[in-house]
Amino acid sequence: DGFMNLSTEHKALFSLLRAGLWEREADDLSPFPLTDAQWWEVYRMSVRQTVAGIVFRGLHHLPEEYLPADALMIHWVAKADRIERKNRRMDAALRLLLQLLGREGLHPVLLKGQGVAALYEHPLLRECGDIDLCFPSEKEEREAAELVRRAGCRTERHPDGSVCYSWQGVEVEHHTRLFDLHNPLLRGYLSSLVGRHGFTDIRTEDGATLPVPAPLPDLLLLNAHLLKHIMGHGVGLRQFCDMARAYHALHGSYSPVELEAAYRRTGLLRWSAQLHTFLTEHLGLPRDVLPYAGTDARTSPRLLHIVLEGGNFGQYGKTRAKASRAGWERKLHTFLSFWRHRDFSGAYARGEAFWTSIRLITGNLR
């Protein structure tokens, strides 16, 4: 059992994460009480995994006698406050950017990030990364890049075609591909999927509306994004939390039969069974909100290892290159990470692993 190999601190982390994710009593009190040193380790792990805000919510559901000492509580409250403030700044920056682009008749769609945060009980406590915008065409993306350059931003184009810049202190990325799927034979199918389902607006806490993919493409996007990072540098718990909240919040708003067909068609069916196992076993996602019943008997120890070792997007794992390194070194590092995770990738998503390796070899992936 995956739980048997977990340390006391990891068990405590998962127990608090489940409590915070679903706003309910902690379901596993066996790791508690913790020593001071153990508590600081749980806090450090939650920061590394970028789930400190969600785990902080979990503390609200822990019996008082098990809570950490005041010194750590003060530290944690301050951390949660910083997360909320950063989210408010990001929401304001995003609103201004969408207004600027909208005035010029451009129609970007928000991927992940603040769109997924809106699916949480406490959106402001989900740690945000950057803003990912997807444009319907390369022409529209080029117009948008030109517009932000005129507004004073310095843009940088990456080998995979994405454009990055800093907008009011927030990192923004432009994409023209909705899905992190590299099999060229799927292009027509994915276009027709987006054509059928399209996009929708999601309402944020402060009443603003954000353009996001419709539920079915959104779930496929989040799923493929998770797999991409697992095959590469690794991935942290926050991305699994996003997937769990999305399944929970979007339940009933899409066709489960069609989603299962999309997973099968894109080669994600085998991997999805493992993903669903992790979400139900470790994050407490109720089985009845899964799109279909197929799960594995248990979470792969390899997957658990990749997640717990890597932290957020694997930036704490052995494979992550220092950003200051030369471009070729970073590329080599990306390839080596992919190579280290190839057994897992090959077992769970062989086709996608193959096409990703082709893209890596031709140097179009960062």
Side-chain angles (χ1 to χ4, degrees), residues 26 44 70 76 82 116 135 153 204 239 247 255 269 287 296 303 327:
R44 274 193 294 273
D70 289 357
W76 218 320
R82 283 198 300 279
V116 180
F135 292 83
C153 300
T204 62
Q239 285 66 40
Y247 269 142
S255 155
L269 205 57
R287 282 179 181 275
D296 294 337
L303 176 60

Side-chain angles (χ1 to χ4, degrees), residues 13 38 43 55 73 82 89 93 113 142 192 214 297 331:
L13 177 73
Q38 287 176 316
Y43 173 73
V55 177
M73 275 308 261
R82 283 198 300 279
R89 281 200 305 275
R142 280 196 301 274
S192 70
K331 274 190 175 147

Side-chain angles (χ1 to χ4, degrees), residues 154-194:
R154 209 176 86 245
T155 62
E156 189 185 339
R157 196 168 283 278
H158 288 286
D160 62 358
S162 64
V163 167
C164 303
Y165 54 93
S166 179
W167 165 264
Q168 302 197 330
V170 176
E171 285 302 305
V172 181
E173 271 195 44
H174 287 185
H175 307 270
T176 52
R177 272 189 28 243
L178 202 58
F179 303 102
D180 284 314
L181 290 164
H182 297 296
N183 179 349
L185 308 176
L186 289 174
R187 272 186 207 136
Y189 169 71
L190 293 173
S191 293
S192 70
L193 195 75
V194 174

Side-chain angles (χ1 to χ4, degrees), residues 48-123:
R48 277 176 59 152
Q49 296 278 351
T50 58
V51 291
I54 306 168
V55 177
F56 175 69
R57 283 302 313 164
L59 292 174
H60 292 69
H61 302 285
L62 194 63
E64 206 166 321
E65 65 269 24
Y66 292 147
L67 287 173
D70 289 357
L72 177 56
M73 275 308 261
I74 290 165
H75 208 78
W76 218 320
V77 168
K79 174 70 176 168
D81 185 54
R82 283 198 300 279
I83 294 168
E84 288 197 353
R85 281 210 300 263
K86 188 183 174 196
N87 266 315
R88 285 202 175 90
R89 281 200 305 275
M90 193 146 181
D91 287 345
L94 176 60
R95 244 195 323 274
L96 282 173
L97 182 58
L98 289 176
Q99 282 167 8
L100 173 77
L101 297 170
R103 280 199 298 273
E104 297 296 320
L106 301 174
H107 304 98
V109 174
L110 185 65
L111 308 184
K112 311 178 294 283
Q114 303 306 83
V116 180
L119 307 176
Y120 279 75
E121 301 283 335
H122 293 273

Side-chain angles (χ1 to χ4, degrees), residues 269-287:
L269 205 57
R270 178 81 197 79
W271 149 246
S272 296
Q274 179 57 210
L275 170 61
H276 294 168
T277 308
F278 187 95
L279 296 179
T280 51
E281 187 183 349
H282 292 291
L283 295 189
L285 179 72
R287 282 179 181 275

Side-chain angles (χ1 to χ4, degrees), residues 164-349:
C164 303
Y165 54 93
S166 179
W167 165 264
Q168 302 197 330
V170 176
E171 285 302 305
V172 181
E173 271 195 44
H174 287 185
H175 307 270
T176 52
R177 272 189 28 243
L178 202 58
F179 303 102
D180 284 314
L181 290 164
H182 297 296
N183 179 349
L185 308 176
L186 289 174
R187 272 186 207 136
Y189 169 71
L190 293 173
S191 293
S192 70
L193 195 75
V194 174
R196 266 203 317 283
H197 295 275
F199 307 100
T200 183
D201 282 327
I202 198 162
R203 194 168 283 284
T204 62
E205 276 206 316
D206 57 2
T209 55
L210 298 174
V212 295
L216 192 142
D218 208 13
L219 289 167
L220 179 60
L221 176 156
L222 290 169
N223 185 330
H225 183 70
L226 253 170
L227 179 64
K228 170 191 140 174
H229 283 288
I230 283 170
M231 291 195 304
H233 295 298
V235 75
L237 284 170
R238 187 189 62 188
Q239 285 66 40
F240 287 92
C241 290
D242 285 353
M243 195 78 217
R245 286 300 316 183
Y247 269 142
H248 181 263
L250 301 176
H251 180 63
S253 63
Y254 66 93
S255 155
V257 174
E258 205 181 335
L259 184 64
E260 185 178 6
Y263 285 170
R264 180 179 285 108
R265 180 72 190 271
T266 51
L268 299 183
L269 205 57
R270 178 81 197 79
W271 149 246
S272 296
Q274 179 57 210
L275 170 61
H276 294 168
T277 308
F278 187 95
L279 296 179
T280 51
E281 187 183 349
H282 292 291
L283 295 189
L285 179 72
R287 282 179 181 275
D288 59 5
V289 301
L290 287 174
Y292 52 91
T295 52
D296 294 337
R298 66 180 192 131
T299 297
S300 146
R302 183 84 185 102
L303 176 60
L304 203 52
H305 176 77
I306 290 171
V307 174
L308 296 181
E309 179 207 52
N312 184 41
F313 286 144
Q315 67 193 28
Y316 295 93
K318 295 189 187 81
T319 62
R320 195 67 175 187
K322 295 282 178 287
S324 57
R325 287 194 184 167
W328 68 267
E329 277 191 276
R330 288 208 300 277
K331 274 190 175 147
L332 176 66
H333 236 78
T334 301
F335 190 81
L336 291 176
S337 324
F338 179 79
W339 192 249
R340 276 186 74 221
H341 296 157
R342 71 191 185 284
D343 295 349
F344 184 86
S345 310
Y348 288 98

